[in-house]
Amino acid sequence: MKSVFKLSSSRMALVAAFGLAIGFTPAQAADLGGNCCADLEERVAELEATTARKGNRKVSLTVSGWVNEAVFMWDDGTERNAYIGTNSLEQSRVRFTGEAQIAPGYSAGYTLEIGLVGHASNKWDQNSPSSSSDNTLTVRKSNWWLKSKDYGKVTVGLEGTAMYHILDDADGANTRNFSDAEAPAVAQGSFLLRSGGAGVNGLKWSDVLRGVNNGTDGQDGRRNIVRYDSPTIAGFTATASWGEDDIWAMALTYKNTIGDFNLLGKVGYGQNSDETISNCSKLNGQDCELFGAAGTIMHVPTGLYVYGGYAQNHDKTEAKISGTEATDSMWFIQGGIEQKWIPLGKTTVFGEYRHDDGGSNLDKSFTANNLSGYVHNSSLNFVGAGVVQNIEPAALDLYVIYRHADGDVTNAAAESVKLDAFDMVIMGALMRF
């Protein structure tokens, strides 16, 4: 029995060796005379050369962003032209984010976002599309954060305040990056006002559109702050922020689906007394109060939706000096339909209206004895319509938007000046990566 077992083992070894040899034969034949390992090493080297690398294995790295370029055709009643460049409403950018788990339910992370200013549309005027900001980089966000599943998230560094995009981020349709609440102010902000073909004391549209961020009441910008975002409870998320000298704000966001309706809403209040970084005040010694509320309701089966809001800035410094209320306000409404009519992606068709009751923040040199050198009031109207076509396979949005603006301004002598209408057509694309 012992010898038979040995013989069987030997035969089994021979069979295994023969099978192994047969298994290698096709691979060698498929090599076509090449070196499989050399080819593999070349492919690995190519992959390493085109892959974002991390400094360590503990913290993740994600690279994302988008490119947003467009053609802007405008007509101010006296002159017309077409400029091509970066759409400053949501400029091209690249974002680096990462996260590391500290313990179950606890993590830390970072955000670094760089804006790519190729040819910024918010710097153009009738005289020239060029500006000193062309082909530059801007640091949009630079912060670290700690997050708890149960207690929320704390962020420190350059980040949006609680009032940042308080109106824009309440846009629940695919118009958010193309025609949100502040879009009219961004699109034509640097263009000069005209009345009867002549300039209006050198004022630009941004000079009679009040607001800390992009000429829109109620919204603040990205600041060096400490920010807290609570966990989401029953659809509600609370946000609070504070920055030096002094900026503070609080906001509440609600997002939920009830029956056939998607709901999104935001409301916030804040104060900004930092003279060095904002422009809601006409005077030195800035002290402004901000309020904003906006929301979207969309009927999911049909895609019909309404998005709208209201905001105001109260200039406490001007109110003390001039004895007036010194409150500027704006409201807007957008309605449309968003449906997947073609296989490529959803189509959004919309119309909108925005109205501003503001003033001018151009001249900050006057005192209690000199309040005549600026526009006291403005009444401005913006009417628009457009189409956004999403191309899902390419992470691409194509958009065409028409916007008309008109209104009047009133100076210190209570003289009303009717502004020439301003028309603009924007055609472009935003591609994500």
Side-chain angles (χ1 to χ4, degrees):
M1 294 293 291
K2 188 174 182 179
S3 61
V4 173
F5 179 77
K6 287 184 177 178
L7 182 60
S8 299
S9 299
S10 300
R11 286 177 178 176
M12 290 174 64
L14 288 172
V15 170
F18 180 71
L20 189 60
I22 291 175
F24 274 115
T25 302
Q28 292 171 346
D31 192 32
L32 301 177
N35 189 322
C36 67
C37 295
D39 181 65
L40 180 60
E41 290 176 356
E42 182 180 346
R43 291 176 181 271
V44 170
E46 180 182 355
L47 182 62
E48 289 180 342
T50 57
T51 302
R53 300 189 181 188
K54 300 188 298 178
N56 59 67
R57 295 179 179 272
K58 297 178 181 179
V59 183
S60 66
L61 168 64
T62 301
V63 182
S64 62
W66 60 62
V67 175
N68 189 7
E69 302 288 325
V71 178
F72 297 74
M73 296 172 286
W74 55 268
D75 183 344
D76 69 357
T78 300
E79 183 181 355
R80 63 180 62 176
N81 210 330
Y83 296 157
I84 304 171
T86 307
N87 190 335
S88 296
L89 180 65
E90 292 295 342
Q91 70 180 114
S92 302
R93 66 195 63 180
V94 60
R95 180 185 297 125
F96 304 90
T97 59
E99 184 173 1
Q101 187 180 45
I102 299 173
Y106 294 86
S107 60
Y110 64 90
T111 301
L112 178 62
E113 185 173 289
I114 308 299
L116 309 175
V117 186
H119 193 33
S121 66
N122 64 344
K123 303 297 183 181
W124 300 338
D125 60 25
Q126 290 92 329
N127 299 319
S128 174
S130 299
S131 76
S132 59
S133 65
D134 281 1
N135 302 316
T136 59
L137 302 178
T138 60
V139 180
R140 293 176 53 87
K141 295 183 179 181
S142 178
N143 59 73
W144 59 263
W145 49 262
L146 297 173
K147 183 169 63 176
S148 165
K149 179 181 177 181
D150 298 322
Y151 302 108
K153 178 181 177 182
V154 175
T155 304
V156 178
L158 181 59
E159 176 60 278
T161 72
M163 294 295 288
Y164 180 56
H165 288 164
I166 192 74
L167 307 177
D168 301 335
D169 287 343
D171 185 348
N174 194 28
T175 56
R176 167 61 184 86
N177 295 320
F178 315 107
S179 196
D180 53 29
E182 68 179 20
V186 175
Q188 64 193 66
S190 290
F191 283 89
L192 298 169
L193 297 173
R194 293 192 192 277
S195 178
V200 182
N201 297 327
L203 291 173
K204 302 176 181 180
W205 283 89
S206 60
D207 294 323
V208 292
L209 284 165
R210 300 295 295 281
V212 175
N213 196 60
N214 290 325
T216 300
D217 290 334
Q219 301 201 133
D220 207 340
R222 299 180 301 275
R223 313 296 184 196
N224 292 298
I225 58 169
V226 177
R227 170 172 166 154
Y228 170 73
D229 294 273
S230 75
T232 299
I233 302 174
F236 289 95
T237 305
T239 303
S241 63
W242 173 84
E244 58 192 13
D245 201 28
D246 281 304
I247 308 166
W248 67 266
M250 300 179 296
L252 186 66
T253 300
Y254 178 73
K255 185 176 183 180
N256 208 349
T257 298
I258 300 178
D260 289 336
F261 294 91
N262 285 342
L263 306 176
L264 174 61
K266 296 180 76 71
V267 60
Y269 172 83
Q271 293 193 8
N272 188 326
S273 58
D274 191 331
E275 304 169 6
T276 64
I277 62 174
S278 70
N279 58 356
C280 88
S281 180
K282 299 169 185 163
L283 307 173
N284 294 319
Q286 172 173 277
D287 188 2
C288 298
E289 293 179 314
L290 314 176
F291 169 80
T296 300
I297 179 169
M298 177 180 287
H299 184 241
V300 178
T302 63
L304 292 169
Y305 75 91
V306 176
Y307 159 54
Y310 172 83
Q312 64 176 219
N313 288 355
H314 175 59
D315 188 341
K316 296 167 69 175
T317 301
E318 183 189 357
K320 291 177 182 179
I321 295 177
S322 65
T324 63
E325 185 179 354
T327 298
D328 304 307
S329 64
M330 64 84 72
W331 63 270
F332 68 95
I333 187 167
Q334 179 186 106
I337 183 170
E338 188 168 280
Q339 274 286 1
K340 193 172 183 178
W341 288 309
I342 62 176
L344 288 175
K346 288 185 177 181
T347 305
T348 308
V349 183
F350 66 94
E352 61 188 14
Y353 175 79
R354 167 174 162 168
H355 179 79
D356 285 69
D357 290 307
S360 172
N361 53 25
L362 179 66
D363 187 354
K364 296 185 177 182
S365 63
F366 25 78
T367 64
N369 297 320
N370 179 19
L371 287 171
S372 61
Y374 67 101
V375 172
H376 269 259
N377 299 295
S378 63
S379 179
L380 309 171
N381 306 296
F382 302 89
V383 181
V387 178
V388 181
Q389 178 62 58
N390 177 246
I391 310 295
E392 289 182 6
L396 177 70
D397 285 298
L398 305 174
Y399 55 91
V400 179
I401 299 167
Y402 165 74
R403 189 169 290 113
H404 170 90
D406 59 34
D408 57 73
V409 297
T410 305
N411 63 19
E415 299 169 331
S416 180
V417 178
K418 183 175 179 57
L419 301 176
D420 294 345
F422 190 99
D423 294 285
M424 178 178 283
V425 174
I426 307 171
M427 299 185 297
L430 184 151
M431 189 171 191
R432 295 170 175 82
F433 59 86

